């Protein structure tokens, strides 16, 4: 795949920023579009077609009158369910065997989103290598479907050229989504529970996280009292407490375009149920009303690392101070680069929790 690594020569990019990875938008082919459409229907659409297939099979099973056949179908269904739930195919080692990160699938997607990664850390007190820095990578925003986070975590070329190897932190509810959970298992994703994250960081591994989580899906337009010219992000404190505990810097990464790849219907009742169950129940759609995303260029801007306090105790005051610095850096990179992305008219609203 063609990509560029060079200092920005485009006048619209702010001085001091550097393009470290860029996939030209003109490289997209008909085959790429086909791959994106089919994989979207298969993977993202699995939240619809898998339950539909189960419901159809259940109805068919109920009308079978032969007891032997009925028992055989039931046994096959139970065995298949167990295999899909806990089978060896869900191991990260299986993903390595399949070389999932090198699949042609990701090349098509990266051309579809015309992925661009920009570093805006030049004025930092010390130079950093985002690919090697022991840190927590914080990707903002989540989007209706976390495409930006996925394309930073899954393709091999995105990690080798831009972000380095890290383990994505995902909501516990993703285990309920077939196929999606398999891809997450193959890329060694970890549950968002405090104990799981703490364990991984204790081993010296790097993690990537979306601070706002699934709650961020329901923020911003078309929510009442919001505007299409506003971008919203939730900044919680949990990941900052972990950063202080393990003495790790947090690297803010804003993904322009992440909120525009899908649209959703604003249904307050679903939002209430989602928050109660801690899963995202949302009616979303893309091209032709299907779970195929609108084509949107994703431009990732890497900000300056937010360092934890020396001799950090992790008390509320230190956490709040680090949260303030994180929000300030997000606002800085958003405001510096929004014009280059064509979002000069937009403002960023940060919701601290």
């Amino acid at each position: 795949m063609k990509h560029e690594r060079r200092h920005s020569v485009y006048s619209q990019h702010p001085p001091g920023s550097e393009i470290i990875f860029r996939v030209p938008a003109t490289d997209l082919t008909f085959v790429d579009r086909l791959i994106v459409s089919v994989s979207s229907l298969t993977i993202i659409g699995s939240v619809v077609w898998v339950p539909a297939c189960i419901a159809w099979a259940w109805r068919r099973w109920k009308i079978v009158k032969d007891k032997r056949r009925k028992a055989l179908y039931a046994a096959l269904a139970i065995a298949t369910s167990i295999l899909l739930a806990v089978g060896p195919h869900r191991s990260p080692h299986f993903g390595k065997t399949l070389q999932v990160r090198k699949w042609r699938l990701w090349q098509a997607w990266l051309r579809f989103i015309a992925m661009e990664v920009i570093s805006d850390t030049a004025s930092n007190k010390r130079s950093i290598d985002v690919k090697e820095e022991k840190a927590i990578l914080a990707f903002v925003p989540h989007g209706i479907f976390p495409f930006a986070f996925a394309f930073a975590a899954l393709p091999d070329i995105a990690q080798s050229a831009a972000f380095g190897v890290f383990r994505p932190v995902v909501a516990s509810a993703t285990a309920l989504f077939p196929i999606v959970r398999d891809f997450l298992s193959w890329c060694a994703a970890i549950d968002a529970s405090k104990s799981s994250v703490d364990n991984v960081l204790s081993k010296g591994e790097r993690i990537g996280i979306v601070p706002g989580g699934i709650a961020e899906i329901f923020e911003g337009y078309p929510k009442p009292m919001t505007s299409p010219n506003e971008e919203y992000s939730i900044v919680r404190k949990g990941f900052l407490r972990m950063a202080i505990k393990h003495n790790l810097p947090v690297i803010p990464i804003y993904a322009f375009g992440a909120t525009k790849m899908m649209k959703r219907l604003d249904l307050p009742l679903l939002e209430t149920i989602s928050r109660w169950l801690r899963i995202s129940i949302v009616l979303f759609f893309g091209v032709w009303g299907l779970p195929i995303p609108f084509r949107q260029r994703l431009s990732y801007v890497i900000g300056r690392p937010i360092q934890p306090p020396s001799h950090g105790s992790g008390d509320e005051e230190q956490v709040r101070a680090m949260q303030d610095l994180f929000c300030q850096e997000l606002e800085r990179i958003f405001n510096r680069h929004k014009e280059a992305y064509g979002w000069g008219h937009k403002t960023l609203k940060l919701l601290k929790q």
Side-chain angles (χ1 to χ4, degrees):
M1 175 183 292
K2 297 177 183 178
H3 68 274
E4 305 170 5
R5 180 183 176 87
R6 56 193 171 91
H7 289 280
S8 174
V9 297
Y10 300 99
S11 58
Q12 69 266 32
H13 285 290
S17 60
E18 177 191 5
I19 297 177
I20 59 176
F21 180 75
R22 189 167 184 258
V23 180
T26 54
D27 285 354
L28 189 71
T29 66
F30 170 78
V31 174
D32 290 334
R33 289 184 180 275
L34 184 62
I35 290 174
V36 167
S37 297
V38 172
S39 61
S40 294
L41 293 172
T42 303
I43 300 172
I44 304 172
S46 65
V47 299
V48 175
W49 66 258
V50 169
C53 287
I54 293 174
W56 176 84
W58 171 256
R59 287 197 299 269
R60 296 291 299 175
W61 179 78
K62 288 183 68 177
I63 64 175
V64 173
K65 295 182 179 180
D66 185 277
K67 291 184 178 180
R68 289 185 178 181
R69 287 179 60 192
K70 202 165 190 175
L72 176 62
Y73 292 160
L76 288 174
I78 293 172
T80 301
S81 299
I82 294 175
L83 179 63
L84 291 176
V86 297
H89 68 287
R90 297 188 63 194
S91 164
H93 297 293
F94 190 77
K96 289 182 179 179
T97 301
L98 293 178
Q99 294 188 317
V100 172
R101 295 184 186 276
K102 298 181 183 295
W103 283 2
R104 167 74 170 78
L105 169 71
W106 309 124
Q107 296 179 26
W109 272 100
L110 294 190
R111 283 192 281 264
F112 180 76
I113 62 174
M115 185 177 185
E116 178 183 60
V117 183
I118 302 168
S119 174
D120 192 351
T121 62
S123 58
N124 195 45
K125 293 181 180 179
R126 67 180 182 89
S127 60
I128 65 164
D129 184 347
V130 176
K131 294 185 292 183
E132 300 295 334
E133 184 89 358
K134 290 293 183 182
I136 295 175
L137 307 185
F139 293 84
V140 176
H142 184 283
I144 294 173
F145 190 89
F147 288 107
F149 190 43
F151 298 135
L154 285 168
D156 178 71
I157 192 170
Q159 295 199 339
S160 63
F163 302 110
V165 176
F166 66 88
R167 296 186 64 178
V169 178
V170 299
S172 305
T174 55
L176 302 175
F177 297 97
I179 302 181
V180 171
R181 67 186 180 189
D182 294 328
F183 276 95
L184 292 173
S185 297
W186 291 339
C187 70
I190 56 175
D191 184 75
S193 65
K194 180 180 178 181
S195 58
S196 296
V197 174
D198 189 45
N199 180 55
V200 169
L201 292 178
S202 297
K203 295 177 181 178
E205 297 184 75
R206 288 161 35 102
I207 66 169
I209 192 170
V210 181
I214 59 176
E216 211 169 74
I217 296 173
F218 301 101
E219 297 299 335
Y221 190 79
K223 187 175 183 178
M225 307 300 291
T226 63
S227 164
N229 295 332
E230 297 170 336
E231 292 292 304
Y232 283 80
S233 182
I234 297 173
V235 181
R236 295 190 172 113
K237 298 176 182 175
F239 75 108
L240 298 170
R241 289 192 179 94
M242 283 293 177
I244 295 173
K245 178 179 180 180
H246 294 274
N247 194 32
L248 292 170
V250 174
I251 300 179
I253 303 171
Y254 193 89
F256 287 89
T259 58
K260 303 303 177 185
M261 295 187 71
M262 289 285 189
K263 295 181 180 180
R264 69 177 179 89
L265 298 179
D266 184 55
L267 300 171
L269 177 60
L270 288 186
E271 180 179 353
T272 302
I273 296 173
S274 295
R275 293 183 186 276
W276 182 62
L277 296 177
R278 298 180 67 85
I279 61 175
S280 54
I281 304 175
V282 58
L283 293 181
F284 64 89
F285 61 93
V287 178
W288 306 313
L290 298 172
I292 300 174
F294 300 103
R295 193 182 185 199
Q296 185 76 30
R297 178 168 63 94
L298 291 188
S299 181
Y300 300 73
V301 180
I302 302 172
R304 303 167 186 160
I306 308 301
Q307 300 294 337
S310 57
H311 311 294
S313 61
D315 60 42
E316 190 63 23
E317 184 178 351
Q318 289 185 339
V319 174
R320 189 162 50 247
M322 198 170 178
Q323 184 186 43
D324 290 341
L325 291 174
F326 180 82
C327 290
Q328 289 170 18
E329 182 61 9
L330 273 182
E331 290 177 332
R332 185 188 74 83
I333 59 178
F334 180 88
N335 290 328
R336 266 174 57 85
H337 292 267
K338 65 180 183 179
E339 195 73 41
Y341 189 74
W343 280 10
H345 59 291
K346 284 183 175 284
T347 56
L348 177 62
K349 303 289 186 180
L350 298 177
L351 309 177
K352 297 180 182 179
Q353 293 184 3

